[in-house]
Structures are given as structure tokens and as C-alpha cells.
Amino acid sequence: MADIRVVLCRPSHPGNIGAAARAMNAMGLADLRLVAPPPPSPQDAWMATHGAEVLAAARTHATLAEAIADCAAAFALSARPREWSPQVLDARAAALRAASLDAPVAFVFGNEAAGLTNEELFACQYLVHIPADPKSSSLNLAQAVQVVAYELYVARGATVPAGRAERLATVQDLEGLYGHLEEAARASDFMGPGSKLRERWRRLFSRVPELEREEVNILRGLLKALLKK
């Protein structure tokens, strides 16, 4: 993710800068660039939390052209359709496009109130929309950074960590459970002659994928305790 730059153009609220840094840090992004930002404020650090290092390393630039000068492509974020604009992509397609480029790229976000100017938009090669409800399509600046950062993280191959591996129940384990169920059903007079319960519980457990041995043991422990009574 080292070749991804996040550029905030003329951000007006210091808290959004800190929150954007936090969003970046959570998704493995570290290169934050600020174009004409407000003076530093304690709110930056308050909102950055675990993104303090990203915030501290942020570079300040006078113009967007200066901030993206070393990038092979720039993706401009805007909720508003433009009559004339670069190629339009949604956030997911933009992240995939950025991931396919073996060169530095920038994702450019505009001012909270006014967004990007036309001049800033045309300094970029792509216009990116985050799909949202048309009645309220404008996201908070830091929220927009979080969405894009997430899509970039996934596009670069991130996966959900695997859960703890448990031993699966064997056929022998299940047969032991079925026998235990029948013993408890007969002892409690729940199962009478000609009952279809055997078929029913086999059908029930056949619909439980990857039943674990520990889960079978829990059920058999419960049956054992009930039979003692």
C-alpha cells in the first residue's frame, strides 16, 4: 500500500484530518498529503487515535498539482455528477484500477462544504463516485476516506482471518450421538414403538455443515446429565 497517496484538498475541519488518518492507518495506508489545510489543532490528534503516526508524517502542499506531481494517476472523489469529467468509476472499480497500476497513485478528496473545484477535478485522470442514496449522497470527508481505503485494502488481496480450526466430528462421533439420543428418548418415554425419530434427527444433523467434535461432546454431556436424573 506504500504507493497509495491520500490527498485532502483544502480540508476545513481539523477533526476530519485526524479521522482520515485513523481510517488510513486501519487499512495499511500511510501517505497522507494536505493541500492548504487549516492550522494544526488538538482535534487532529483527538480524532487520529491509532493513526497518530500517519498524521504526524502528513505532508503539506500549497497546490494539488504539487501534491500529486509524483503520481502516475490521480482519482478524484466527488458525489456530484459533472457535465465534463475524466473517466467515471465507482469506488470499487477505482480501487481495482489503482491496484493494477505498478506506480504511485493518488486519491483526491475535496473540501467538506464545496468538494473539488473543476480545476482540481481536471488535474486528475479519473472521477470516482461512492454509490449512496440519492437523497443523501454526500459522505463526511473521513467516512469517504474510510470507504476508499477499505476498497483499496480488499483490492490488494486482504482476506478475513481464518477462525480457530477445530476437529470435525467423524461418522463414529455422530453414530455415538444418535445412539445417545435414542437412549434418552426411550428412557423419557418420548420415543415409542414405530417412531420416526431416528430418521428425523439424522436428517436434522445432516443439515448442519462441519459439525465439530466438541459440539457433539457437549450434546452428549447434556444427554448424560439428563439421563442421571
Side-chain angles (χ1 to χ4, degrees):
M1 302 288 276
D3 56 354
I4 305 291
R5 291 85 167 97
V6 172
V7 182
L8 307 184
C9 286
R10 300 169 288 103
S12 60
H13 196 293
N16 279 330
I17 299 174
R22 178 178 184 176
M24 291 173 60
N25 182 70
M27 298 296 150
L29 296 171
D31 195 335
L32 175 61
R33 304 186 178 189
L34 308 173
V35 177
S41 163
Q43 292 185 49
D44 297 9
W46 294 341
M47 298 300 292
T49 312
H50 300 297
E53 290 186 8
V54 175
L55 181 63
R59 306 181 196 179
T60 299
H61 301 274
T63 65
L64 175 59
E66 179 184 313
I68 63 175
D70 63 339
C71 297
F75 297 76
L77 273 289
S78 177
R80 302 197 311 272
R82 310 289 178 112
E83 184 176 358
W84 302 102
S85 69
Q87 183 178 352
V88 181
L89 302 170
D90 64 29
R92 184 157 299 173
L96 290 170
R97 182 69 57 85
S100 71
L101 299 174
D102 187 21
V105 300
F107 281 79
V108 181
F109 299 80
N111 171 269
E112 291 93 329
L116 294 170
T117 66
N118 286 334
E119 290 76 15
E120 290 166 337
L121 179 67
F122 279 102
C124 303
Q125 289 70 50
Y126 301 93
L127 174 62
V128 181
H129 292 306
I130 297 174
D133 191 321
K135 294 180 289 186
S136 183
S137 61
S138 181
L139 275 68
N140 168 270
L141 174 58
Q143 292 173 341
V145 172
Q146 182 71 81
V147 170
V148 170
Y150 167 77
E151 293 293 352
L152 286 165
Y153 194 61
V154 173
R156 291 296 174 98
T159 57
V160 176
R164 187 179 67 173
E166 297 286 354
R167 294 180 63 185
L168 298 182
T170 65
V171 171
Q172 184 177 3
D173 294 330
L174 290 175
E175 290 298 332
L177 173 61
Y178 299 150
H180 215 153
L181 283 169
E182 182 169 349
E183 180 185 358
R186 290 189 182 281
S188 61
D189 294 327
F190 186 71
M191 182 178 182
S195 172
K196 299 292 186 182
L197 277 177
R198 295 187 190 88
E199 293 81 3
R200 289 290 184 179
W201 58 55
R202 285 178 180 272
R203 181 180 176 188
L204 168 64
F205 284 102
S206 72
R207 296 201 301 271
V208 182
E210 300 182 353
L211 191 66
E212 297 171 0
R213 176 170 286 182
E214 184 179 353
E215 294 167 335
V216 171
N217 289 338
I218 289 171
L219 290 174
R220 295 195 66 180
L222 172 63
L223 292 169
K224 183 178 180 180
L226 293 173
L227 282 168
K228 284 183 178 179
K229 293 182 177 297

